[in-house]
């Protein structure tokens, strides 16, 4: 026997000496058929069953998928009948603003939306909420806090309610404009000034300063031309900005 051979078939003489009997293909086939008839009594045609390409040893039940029925909402007609969007007059912002405007008007006359200007003092509580929001975001504005850390967090923070001042601008009429941000869009800030005037200031070519508890941060509007939700997920890189 060769040394490099690991496995080889036994010769007939060796099988006889060891008492082993090699089964023929007919005996093997007969054993399989008898085994299937004994284990699977319901099987009628064994040859057809064995002729299949795939033999399933276990029967798996298919999982029933339940169809999720979406909750059906109200139609427009049903909303009108249920009066879902009807707000009581005493709970409307128009009525609250009308009370303050009625005291300022010299003669009693009907109040319309044109006679209801924006009031700066109405948004001072919003500014106080924003200041508390920034303090919680920065874990307290302490003197030892790094200015770069505060600036990076204010860049991603929501600026609705922030008191800002236009520090620099290519348009001289915007410089020095200060107020509270009421609305931020992709390209502009809507600011209410102390003179109760609503100003629309573009972000492009403007530098805004934000002061809170002695910390002053400068925001380059050209780098903020995105929505507030997009800015919160953006990674700002520390790059030098060209002065206006």
């Amino acid at each position: 026997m060769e040394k490099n051979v690991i496995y080889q078939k036994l010769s007939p003489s060796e099988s006889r000496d060891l008492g082993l009997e090699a089964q023929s293909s007919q005996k093997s086939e007969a054993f399989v058929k008898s085994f299937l008839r004994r284990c699977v009594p319901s099987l009628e045609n064994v040859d057809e069953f064995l002729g299949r390409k795939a033999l399933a040893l276990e029967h798996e039940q298919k999982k029933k998928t339940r169809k999720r029925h979406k909750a059906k909402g109200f139609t427009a007609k049903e909303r009108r009948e249920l009066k879902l969007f009807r707000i009581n007059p005493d709970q409307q912002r128009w009525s609250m603003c009308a009370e303050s405007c009625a005291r300022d008007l010299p003669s009693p006359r009907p109040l319309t939306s044109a006679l209801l200007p924006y009031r700066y003092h109405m948004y001072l509580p919003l500014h106080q909420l924003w200041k508390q929001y920034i303090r919680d975001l920065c874990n307290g504005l302490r003197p030892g806090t790094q200015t770069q850390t505060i600036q990076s967090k204010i860049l991603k923070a929501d600026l609705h309610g922030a008191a800002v001042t236009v520090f620099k601008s290519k348009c001289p009429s915007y410089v020095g404009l200060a107020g509270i941000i009421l609305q931020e869009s992709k390209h502009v800030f809507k600011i209410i000034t102390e003179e109760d005037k609503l100003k629309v200031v573009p972000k492009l070519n403007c530098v805004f300063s934000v002061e809170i508890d002695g910390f002053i941060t400068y925001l380059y509007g050209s780098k903020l031309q995105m929505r507030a939700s997009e800015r919160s997920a953006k990674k700002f890189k520390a790059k030098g900005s060209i002065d206006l």
Side-chain angles (χ1 to χ4, degrees):
M1 185 181 292
E2 298 180 1
K3 294 183 179 180
N4 57 351
V5 176
I6 298 175
Y7 169 79
Q8 67 179 0
K9 188 177 180 179
L10 293 174
S11 63
S13 60
E14 290 175 341
S15 300
R16 285 193 302 270
D17 295 340
L18 294 173
L20 299 176
E21 183 181 357
Q23 289 186 348
S24 62
S25 59
Q26 295 179 353
K27 289 184 178 180
S28 301
E29 186 177 353
F31 171 77
V32 172
K33 289 182 180 180
S34 62
F35 175 79
L36 288 175
R37 289 193 188 97
R38 185 172 64 253
C39 295
V40 189
S42 60
L43 191 63
E44 296 179 356
N45 192 348
V46 180
D47 296 330
E48 183 182 353
F49 183 76
L50 292 175
R52 298 176 185 176
K53 293 183 179 179
L55 180 63
L57 300 179
E58 294 181 0
H59 178 66
E60 296 183 359
Q61 294 182 354
K62 294 183 179 180
K63 296 181 179 179
K64 296 181 180 180
T65 57
R66 296 182 179 179
K67 294 183 179 180
R68 295 183 178 180
H69 298 283
K70 294 183 179 179
K72 186 179 179 181
F74 294 109
T75 61
K77 184 179 180 181
E78 291 173 343
R79 293 193 194 101
R80 288 194 298 268
E81 292 175 352
L82 295 173
K83 302 178 182 179
L84 294 179
F85 298 109
R86 185 170 297 180
I87 303 174
N88 296 330
D90 56 341
Q91 297 177 353
Q92 295 180 9
R93 179 186 168 188
W94 187 92
S95 61
M96 293 186 291
C97 188
E99 293 177 1
S100 61
C101 291
R103 295 191 296 267
D104 300 336
L105 292 175
S107 58
R109 51 178 173 170
L111 292 174
T112 61
S113 59
L115 297 176
L116 294 175
Y118 289 89
R119 295 292 180 178
Y120 181 80
H121 66 84
M122 293 176 59
Y123 300 98
L124 288 176
L126 176 64
H127 175 56
Q128 297 300 326
L129 287 174
W130 182 83
K131 290 171 69 175
Q132 186 60 41
Y133 156 65
I134 294 298
R135 293 190 191 103
D136 296 341
L137 184 66
C138 299
N139 298 323
L141 296 173
R142 294 181 293 272
T145 309
Q146 295 183 359
T147 310
Q148 187 176 1
T149 305
I150 298 174
Q151 188 174 12
S152 63
K153 290 186 176 182
I154 291 179
L155 277 173
K156 296 184 177 183
D158 192 348
L159 297 177
H160 292 90
V164 298
T165 305
V166 181
F167 181 68
K168 291 181 180 180
S169 177
K170 281 192 174 182
C171 182
S173 61
Y174 289 134
V175 178
L177 185 67
I180 299 174
I181 296 178
L182 299 187
Q183 186 178 359
E184 178 188 1
S185 63
K186 186 175 181 179
H187 299 290
V188 298
F189 284 126
K190 289 186 179 180
I191 300 173
I192 180 71
T193 63
E194 294 184 1
E195 293 80 16
D196 298 334
K197 294 182 179 180
L198 185 66
K199 300 289 186 180
V200 180
V201 182
K203 295 180 181 179
L204 185 64
N205 299 326
C206 286
V207 180
F208 303 90
S209 64
V210 181
E211 190 273 334
I212 175 172
D213 294 347
F215 290 91
I216 300 177
T217 302
Y218 296 98
L219 305 176
Y220 286 81
S222 302
K223 307 295 182 182
L224 301 177
Q225 293 195 79
M226 62 192 75
R227 297 178 179 87
S229 58
E230 297 173 354
R231 190 178 69 247
S232 62
K234 182 177 176 60
K235 293 183 179 180
F236 291 93
K237 297 181 181 179
K239 291 183 179 180
S241 299
I242 300 174
D243 199 1
L244 295 175

